[in-house]
Amino acid sequence: MTNCLVCKNKIKPFISFGKQPIANGFLTSQEFQKEYFYNLAVGFCPICTMVQLTELVDREKMFHTNYAFFSSTSRGMAKHFEEFAQFIKNKYLKNKHDPFVIEMGSNDGIMLRHFAKEEINHLGIEPSKNVARVAMSNDINTTTKFFDEELAKEILSQYGQADAFLGANVMCHIPYIHSVIAGIKLLLKPKGVLVFEDPYVGDIVQKTSYDQIYDEHAFYFSVRSINNLMKMHKLEVIDVAPQNTHGGSMRYTIGHIDTHKISPKVKKQLKIESALGLHRPKTYASLAKKINNSREGLITLLKNLKKQGKRVVAYGATSKSTTITNYCKITPDLIEFISDTTPIKQGKYSPGTHIPVKAYEKFQNNHPDYALLFAWNHAKEIMEKERQKNGYKGKWIVYIPKVKIIKSV
Ligand code: SAH
Ligand code: TYD
Ligand code: ZN
């Protein structure tokens, strides 16, 4: 039993993935001995409906000067963030005198660059110093502290309030969420907005995309759980918009309570959530069963291919694949290596099961019989590129929403 991070009600896990390493903790063989593990388990709070981890990892173990996740590794994501920035400019900054935008978790500057290049006042908050350095070298104003209420007060005295406070794939990372929301509330102008997006629990339930569950993701949000949380701070959800990114995300727009017109899309999404049963414990019990079946299917397939002497290489050393490899016990005897374009991951080993991560050229120069698509959220971008430009003739193995072998999308 633990306490809900939002409303303090007692909750217990509906699934446990056992001991897991740091999802982005790609490591050298010298580091195998001292690798850190924690117990990965998820619970649902029947009072405030928040889905959340029941054991947390210290933030300094995940976000530091060797953080392996650089946002700008996918063209699709670069385009997504260009559009996100444009959406904010059109909807919330137009006709504003000297607007100010803050982004939490700004990483290598994938989104803020579109504000910086137009000389719009901005501030990035990015504690992982190696990725923040990339943003700073591109003239993006960045602080490398962790955001919380205390930092919000510092920012307020130095810069004043913001027209828009943005976040992508970061709100769900922060277990001290009340401090974060209280800080954002202080920083928002009376008509200012908080706009953030994160993987959506409705997609996880519908697609059994359990690989979204790992140390960095303390929360799995729904519109209902976010609205409950925001109301505790006299804020409210004023708009929502589903996104295709990260295998299915939701963008939430939040304002001070009773200040904005609420889009009818909010009510519509709440209805969809009721139909999906996102407020019911039994939905999560059933998800746990599906996750278990998915593991059986994947491991059986990989073992059969090994028996047949097929070469299988994985594609994309994603954070989320750490849950798959460790939960399904996928070791280097089943997967030759993982191909990845991120320099900091290459030459290292995957967390926990220690599959070698190699540069993309190793894949390209010696195509396997099967490519296990760990970066399934970029399926279209990757499969098109490999088939049309790079002549890959092998098959793909995917496991979301179902374990299957496909030729291409
Ligand atoms: N927004 C980017 C990066 C997401 S990864 C994208 O969507 O691609 C999450 C980022 O949030 C990491 O770079 C991490 O260092 C940062 N982060 C984690 N905790 C934070 C906090 N308390 N305040 C600000 N950033 C944080
Ligand atoms: P991402 O989808 O952001 O996953 P996560 O949030 O789970 O870490 O990561 C994509 C990974 O895949 C990243 O390490 C880069 C790699 N990648 C390639 O190697 N080739 C590609 O064509 C693409 C799009 C990504
Ligand atoms: Zn709760």
Side-chain angles (χ1 to χ4, degrees):
M1 285 287 222
T2 46
N3 294 322
C4 170
L5 292 161
V6 173
C7 76
K8 303 207 165 66
N9 174 53
K10 289 251 178 279
I11 54 171
K12 54 177 195 289
F14 60 83
I15 186 160
S16 171
F17 295 93
K19 290 281 169 218
Q20 291 273 340
I22 301 288
N24 262 311
F26 296 89
L27 69 178
T28 61
S29 53
Q30 290 80 29
E31 292 167 324
F32 288 174
Q33 285 304 320
K34 54 168 198 197
E35 192 170 13
Y36 173 84
F37 289 86
Y38 68 101
N39 190 40
L40 177 63
V42 194
F44 164 74
C45 174
I47 304 295
C48 75
T49 76
M50 188 64 85
V51 178
Q52 56 199 280
L53 296 188
T54 54
E55 190 180 311
L56 297 165
V57 172
D58 291 343
R59 63 189 189 180
E60 288 78 9
K61 281 201 168 69
M62 301 183 280
F63 310 116
H64 42 60
T65 50
N66 281 312
Y67 187 51
F69 181 80
F70 284 74
S71 298
S72 300
T73 49
S74 150
R75 281 173 150 216
M77 290 311 288
K79 188 159 174 282
H80 173 77
F81 284 116
E82 186 176 357
E83 287 166 4
F84 192 157
Q86 199 55 49
F87 165 77
I88 297 296
K89 286 183 223 169
N90 290 346
K91 192 150 184 194
Y92 298 109
L93 304 187
K94 245 192 197 156
N95 309 323
K96 290 259 158 65
H97 172 72
D98 208 12
F100 177 41
V101 176
I102 304 177
E103 190 193 354
M104 173 170 80
S106 45
N107 201 277
D108 56 14
I110 190 167
M111 174 146 68
L112 277 185
R113 55 198 287 264
H114 300 290
F115 297 96
K117 75 175 180 214
E118 291 175 24
E119 295 181 10
I120 295 173
N121 281 332
H122 63 276
L123 174 67
I125 306 163
E126 180 45 70
S128 295
K129 292 199 173 112
N130 59 331
V131 297
R133 229 175 276 133
V134 176
M136 290 190 260
S137 71
N138 288 316
D139 291 330
I140 295 162
N141 186 31
T142 307
T143 168
T144 57
K145 293 184 181 160
F146 283 93
F147 186 79
D148 57 11
E149 192 174 2
E150 200 189 315
L151 182 63
K153 287 178 185 160
E154 277 178 38
I155 295 173
L156 186 63
S157 65
Q158 199 181 335
Y159 296 87
Q161 288 179 318
D163 297 276
F165 189 107
L166 313 178
N169 309 301
V170 61
M171 191 69 80
C172 74
H173 288 55
I174 314 182
Y176 39 100
I177 194 137
H178 284 302
S179 170
V180 168
I181 305 298
I184 295 171
K185 166 118 182 141
L186 290 175
L187 281 168
L188 282 189
K189 285 183 183 170
K191 288 248 167 189
V193 285
L194 158 65
V195 186
F196 69 99
E197 54 187 42
D198 280 292
Y200 182 54
V201 74
D203 284 289
I204 297 176
V205 164
Q206 280 188 296
K207 299 176 191 160
T208 318
S209 44
Y210 69 93
D211 54 353
Q212 283 302 340
I213 300 169
Y214 54 90
D215 54 354
E216 290 183 20
H217 293 170
F219 296 107
Y220 306 85
F221 296 144
S222 62
V223 176
R224 188 169 269 111
S225 63
I226 284 296
N227 217 12
N228 287 336
L229 166 65
M230 294 300 163
K231 292 239 162 103
M232 293 166 95
H233 293 267
K234 294 206 160 43
L235 295 164
E236 65 186 343
V237 178
I238 58 172
D239 203 359
V240 294
Q243 308 290 319
N244 289 329
T245 48
H246 288 290
S249 297
M250 187 62 72
R251 180 179 295 167
Y252 308 86
T253 303
I254 316 288
H256 291 289
I257 208 159
D258 298 334
T259 313
H260 301 261
K261 200 170 145 275
I262 298 181
S263 157
K265 283 197 255 160
V266 177
K267 217 179 206 170
K268 204 172 132 211
Q269 196 64 37
L270 285 169
K271 263 195 173 159
I272 294 173
E273 292 188 354
S274 300
L276 280 173
L278 298 186
H279 58 303
R280 287 206 188 98
K282 83 169 194 235
T283 304
Y284 301 98
S286 142
L287 174 64
K289 278 199 194 114
K290 288 186 198 150
I291 292 173
N292 196 40
N293 290 342
S294 173
R295 166 169 70 174
E296 294 308 313
L298 182 59
I299 199 69
T300 307
L301 172 63
L302 292 176
K303 283 185 175 163
N304 281 340
L305 292 175
K306 184 188 156 83
K307 261 193 222 143
Q308 295 165 28
K310 301 290 185 196
R311 281 186 63 224
V312 185
V313 168
Y315 198 114
T318 53
S319 348
K320 54 189 170 293
S321 65
T322 296
T323 300
I324 300 288
T325 49
N326 286 276
Y327 181 59
C328 302
K329 300 202 168 46
I330 300 173
T331 44
D333 61 321
L334 296 176
I335 301 289
E336 221 174 278
F337 64 91
I338 309 172
S339 162
D340 198 283
T341 51
T342 318
I344 197 176
K345 296 179 184 174
Q346 294 162 357
K348 294 196 177 149
Y349 293 85
S350 70
T353 61
H354 304 161
I355 304 165
V357 180
K358 298 194 175 168
Y360 167 71
E361 289 68 28
K362 298 272 183 208
F363 174 86
Q364 197 178 16
N365 297 338
N366 188 11
H367 282 155
D369 300 306
Y370 293 83
L372 173 58
L373 189 57
F374 281 163
W376 59 269
N377 47 318
H378 305 293
K380 200 163 171 287
E381 175 179 346
I382 290 172
M383 289 187 189
E384 275 179 11
K385 176 171 67 182
E386 293 308 333
R387 189 189 41 185
Q388 289 165 10
K389 284 210 209 123
N390 303 330
Y392 175 62
K393 301 229 164 45
K395 296 195 171 120
W396 295 93
I397 301 170
V398 293
Y399 43 87
I400 309 283
K402 288 258 181 314
V403 176
K404 63 181 176 208
I405 295 172
I406 54 175
K407 265 200 83 88
S408 204
V409 286

